[in-house]
Structure formats: structure tokens, C-alpha cells
Amino acid sequence: MIRLVALFLLLLPMATLAASQKQIIEDNTRAIVYLEIEDANKNIIDTGTGFIVSQDGYVVTVNHLKVDPTQKMWAVIGQRAGTRYPMTFRDADETSDIALWQLPQSAVCRYSTTLSSKPVKLLDRVLILGFPGKDGLTPSITNIKNLSSQRGFYKVDGYLYTGNSGGPTFNEAGQVVAVVQGGTMPGTENNDLIPIATAIALIKKHRIQTGIDEPVPFDNSCYASCRSPSHGVEKWLKEVQWGPVDSGWLPGGHNRPDECKKLIAAAIANNPGTQIELLPGEGNPDNTGMWEESKKDIYGHVEYKYFCKGTLRSEPIFSNKQSPACGLWN
């Protein structure tokens, strides 16, 4: 029994982490790019991974994905096959093997990763996203095993396949802490990671608006227009009288507003998308759609009956607005 409890306690953090990993993948897939270098004859001569760091389409990857004047780099967002975008080179830090490229300018607000300025610790668990070999977007879960390799890079305890180079390494908060180097420089191995601080320095040099420790919120102009319940009701297609209904005879200790709230809640409980607005009621001095009657029995006990009347509205048409509920423009 003790062994079972101990095993459960060991597995519990892993289960929690697994859910976190799934969320990291879902949140960032549209910010990861598959990169291809194509020669003048349309042959693919190299591939890798990059990640979008700003809503205007700046991409961080490794500098060893070289492109000469006769070649071109293309990007596919979130998958290996799909719409290809031509990339424009912006800058590089050759010593640290970091490069900055940009997707074509457009009116589209792009999904981007959030970077971390916090220090990485030994044995931190990290998640790497990339396009290894001929595979689609693939996660790799591993641990930091060294914080200072020969070149000042991190090392992880897993094997990273060709094609992961340039891919982001996420901490458990879903923020990028490093870039996969891939062992292409002297003194490096396939499991070397470039600390994200180098990329942050390059990004700040160009004054790019990037989320560091906190994501950059989208402007409202980035969102599509739609009709959503979160926008409120523009109009109702149906309106009918509701009531009067009553609470039945009740002893003292009750009041009109509370009893009408109960009656309204019961009326709309099985009718989602409906609303009841109280209207003036007969003999109601407060003009609020609520009134009451009372009676006294032979023993002097008083009972009350509460009445409610209003308009039941259904089939709402929600307001048409731009908001996060609509998603980004395609």
C-alpha cells in the first residue's frame, strides 16, 4: 500500500505537467514555422525550424541555415505542408548562431511566442517543438542537464534530430527559454541549446515589440467581426407576455424581489437564450412588475402571496463586433 501511494505521488506531478505540455503545444502551434531553403532549380537543400516572436511576423531561427544570393528561404506556419511564405533576412548574431528573419508584411496579426527573461535551472523540464527529419511538428520532452557548455550553451539529456535546429524550447510556463542549436558548430553537440537572451538582445536592437515574460495583447483591429453572446444582445426576435405568476401563499420573512427572482430563474432554467424583464403590475405602487396580497387566519397569522409580471424575450440577435471571441482575421 505504501509503495502504491509513493508511486501515485511520483506520477502526480507528471500528470499535471502532461496537461501543461498539451496546452503549450496548442497555444504555440500557429507561431512555429517549418523552414526550407530552396536553390535556383527549386530543389530543397536544407530544412529547419523557426518561431514567430512578434505580431508583425519576425522569426527567430539559427544562423547556420544559410541562404546565398541564388537561394531562397520559405516558411510554412504550424505544419510541414501548406501555404509557403517567402522570408526576408533581417540580422544575425553569428557567434551565438542566432538569426532574425521576417514573414511578408500584411494586415494579418500573427500569433507569436512569449519569451522568458528568467534564469534556467539545472534539471528544469523543457518542451521542444520542431520539424525533425521528415516529420510534421513534433514535441520533444527533455531536461536541462548542463547550464554552461563549451560555448556557453545549455545541454539537454535527450537526442534532438536534424530539422529541430532553430526550434523553440519552452519552460513549464509556456515561455521560450532557448533555441535548438543542433551541433553544427565546433564544440557543440546535437543536444545543445542557445539561451534565449541572445535572441532577445537582437530583438531589442531592432526595437521589435515582443512579449517577454508576458504576451503582447492583440489590438481589437486584429480580430474578425462576429456575433457572440459576449457582445450583448442587439435585439430579440420574439417577445411575449410572461405572467402574472405567483409564489403561492407563504409565511412572513419573504419579500417581492427575492420571490420574483426565484420565479424568473425557474421560468428560464430550461430555456437558454431567454430573458424576462418585469413590467408594471396591476395594483403595484412601485411600478416594478411585482405586487403582493396578504391574508390573516383566525389565529392572527399572516400569509403573503407575491405576484410577478413581465415580458419574456427569446431568440436573441447578438451585437456584431470585433473581439477575441471571433478569432483573428485569416
Side-chain angles (χ1 to χ4, degrees):
M1 181 64 180
I2 293 174
R3 289 181 180 179
L4 287 175
V5 172
L7 180 61
F8 174 77
L9 291 174
L10 286 171
L11 292 176
L12 187 58
M14 295 177 65
T16 304
L17 186 57
S20 171
Q21 291 161 359
K22 179 181 178 182
Q23 192 63 52
I24 290 170
I25 295 168
E26 291 177 352
D27 290 346
N28 291 281
T29 292
R30 289 167 291 189
I32 314 299
V33 296
Y34 167 65
L35 299 173
E36 291 181 334
I37 297 176
E38 189 177 77
D39 66 15
N41 297 318
K42 308 294 184 183
N43 297 313
I44 306 301
I45 60 172
D46 205 354
T47 66
T49 304
F51 54 100
I52 302 171
V53 295
S54 67
Q55 293 174 14
D56 53 353
Y58 279 89
V59 172
V60 166
T61 187
V62 283
N63 188 55
H64 69 255
L65 287 173
K66 295 287 189 181
V67 178
D68 70 28
T70 68
Q71 299 167 348
K72 198 165 192 175
M73 182 181 284
W74 295 88
V76 180
I77 298 174
Q79 55 190 354
R80 198 177 187 96
T83 303
R84 296 200 311 166
Y85 297 94
M87 299 288 285
T88 302
F89 177 76
R90 296 302 185 199
D91 203 351
D93 181 330
E94 295 195 11
T95 303
S96 295
D97 197 27
I98 287 290
L100 191 63
W101 292 73
Q102 191 173 15
L103 291 159
Q105 292 287 333
S106 70
V108 177
C109 300
R110 301 191 184 279
Y111 289 93
S112 60
T113 55
T114 299
L115 314 185
S116 173
S117 67
K118 299 177 177 62
V120 173
K121 299 189 292 295
L122 195 64
L123 300 181
D124 275 359
R125 179 162 290 194
V126 293
L127 183 148
I128 293 166
L129 287 176
F131 295 91
K134 296 183 179 181
D135 294 337
L137 186 62
T138 303
S140 301
I141 301 164
T142 184
N143 299 283
I144 302 290
K145 73 170 187 178
N146 192 313
L147 295 176
S148 184
S149 68
Q150 181 179 331
R151 286 185 170 269
F153 295 165
Y154 307 143
K155 283 187 182 294
V156 293
D157 58 8
Y159 182 87
L160 301 176
Y161 292 88
T162 301
N164 272 315
S165 293
T169 302
F170 295 92
N171 61 16
E172 293 182 11
Q175 300 167 346
V176 181
V177 296
V179 183
V180 177
Q181 200 285 321
T184 63
M185 303 171 73
T188 64
E189 298 174 341
N190 75 292
N191 61 344
D192 274 41
L193 307 178
I194 308 163
I196 198 62
T198 304
I200 290 175
L202 200 59
I203 288 164
K204 287 184 175 179
K205 173 184 172 183
H206 291 270
R207 299 181 180 179
I208 299 165
Q209 188 177 15
T210 302
I212 299 177
D213 298 324
E214 293 291 339
V216 176
F218 287 109
D219 186 84
N220 265 353
S221 62
C222 294
Y223 296 110
S225 297
C226 69
R227 296 185 183 275
S228 168
S230 63
H231 299 164
V233 176
E234 181 180 297
K235 63 180 180 179
W236 300 86
L237 291 182
K238 289 186 178 180
E239 292 188 350
V240 297
Q241 180 177 311
W242 174 75
V245 295
D246 67 79
S247 64
W249 292 105
L250 299 170
H254 298 266
N255 60 68
R256 283 177 289 171
D258 286 348
E259 295 310 312
C260 281
K261 285 179 184 177
K262 293 177 186 176
L263 291 169
I264 290 171
I268 66 176
N270 297 319
N271 296 285
T274 60
Q275 178 194 83
I276 293 175
E277 181 181 359
L278 294 175
L279 296 176
E282 299 167 4
N284 172 25
D286 297 333
N287 203 35
T288 58
M290 301 180 288
W291 67 100
E292 65 187 61
E293 294 179 1
S294 63
K295 67 178 183 179
K296 185 182 295 186
D297 63 20
I298 58 173
Y299 303 105
H301 299 144
V302 180
E303 292 185 314
Y304 300 87
K305 183 184 288 188
Y306 302 96
F307 296 86
C308 316
K309 186 173 83 171
T311 299
L312 188 150
R313 300 186 175 100
S314 60
E315 298 185 25
I317 300 295
F318 300 110
S319 297
N320 190 17
K321 297 180 182 179
Q322 288 178 276
S323 83
C326 309
L328 298 184
W329 287 107
N330 293 324

